[in-house]
Amino acid sequence: MSGREEMLRRVREALGGARGPRPPVPRSYTRRLPEAEAGSRADVLALFTERVADNRAAVRHVGADELGTAVAAALWGREAKRIVVPADLPFGWLAELDGVRALADTPPVDLDALAAADGVVTGCAAAVARTGTVVLDGGRAQGRRALTLVPDYHLCVVHADQIVGTVPEAVARLDPARPLTWISGPSATHGVEAARVEGAHGPRHLEVLVVEDQPS
């Protein structure tokens, strides 16, 4: 028996066989934005933009036909020369790149190469207006978790229809069995002296492009 199996055996013994019915989970918390906070779809998008900016991330709205140009402009603004992208990133997102080498993560790029890259471009699975959060689950155009944790700069494309008002709404859209990464601004932590340190466990710079596919 391995150490892990022995530990689990002891846990099962401590819990006992008869655990009884599960206690009810209270669901009285707010599950949708109140009318006063976001009465229209445009208000939800505006709130998301405001909260992303509050989280010290850059955010910009673009039309679907402007996305390729906006991605290129963001990377040129960072003076990026080499980026890493998920293998299934839509080609159109990078169609306007000039002077920036995009390396597809297939086969997986090693950690040293990831750390040396100037940034990463991904999509997302969902986004939350109230908290200014983007959520990645490793699905289409998102890649593996290391892609968005190792490079210093993350450019994330969020389509307007992926933005919901609250965390419960986002959870309802997501598969809990997938590897979920919730990102609210650049990576940051605070030490004992309450000094903010950015980039401790992820990128120090987050930029969000909100794609308004349809009128809000």
Side-chain angles (χ1 to χ4, degrees):
M1 180 179 293
S2 68
R4 177 178 181 275
E5 291 170 337
E6 173 64 17
M7 179 185 68
L8 292 175
R9 183 189 67 78
R10 293 183 182 183
V11 170
R12 284 191 290 267
E13 286 184 356
L15 291 174
R19 303 180 190 179
R22 293 183 178 181
V25 178
R27 302 291 185 185
S28 58
Y29 50 79
T30 301
R31 307 190 74 171
R32 299 182 64 87
L33 291 174
E35 189 79 12
E37 188 172 357
S40 68
R41 184 62 188 161
D43 292 335
V44 174
L45 299 185
L47 179 62
F48 175 72
T49 302
E50 176 186 329
R51 295 297 165 81
V52 170
D54 288 345
N55 290 338
R56 302 191 183 189
V59 57
R60 186 155 65 94
H61 287 240
V62 300
D65 58 347
E66 304 171 317
L67 180 55
T69 301
V71 169
L75 295 174
W76 292 335
R78 295 282 309 171
E79 298 184 351
K81 300 298 181 184
R82 181 174 175 275
I83 63 170
V84 182
V85 299
D88 59 352
L89 194 81
F91 175 78
W93 294 13
L94 307 177
E96 301 299 323
L97 285 187
D98 184 15
V100 182
R101 181 189 175 199
L103 179 63
D105 189 43
T106 180
V109 177
D110 63 54
L111 291 181
D112 288 339
L114 274 179
D118 295 313
V120 58
V121 180
T122 75
C124 73
V128 184
R130 172 166 277 173
T131 58
T133 302
V134 293
V135 189
L136 280 66
D137 68 358
R140 182 174 182 269
Q142 297 166 63
R144 56 193 172 109
R145 180 171 283 172
L147 285 186
T148 53
L149 294 180
V150 178
D152 195 55
Y153 169 70
H154 180 193
L155 177 61
C156 186
V157 175
V158 179
H159 290 269
D161 61 3
Q162 294 179 306
I163 302 173
V164 296
T166 65
V167 169
E169 288 179 284
V171 169
R173 290 190 174 199
L174 298 167
D175 180 354
R178 296 190 65 84
L180 302 178
T181 304
W182 298 69
I183 304 171
S184 300
S187 166
T189 188
H190 288 78
V192 175
E193 297 179 354
R196 180 184 173 94
V197 178
E198 296 186 347
H201 43 73
R204 283 181 290 182
H205 305 281
L206 173 67
E207 188 164 358
V208 176
L209 295 177
V210 179
V211 183
E212 298 184 355
D213 306 272
Q214 299 176 350
S216 57

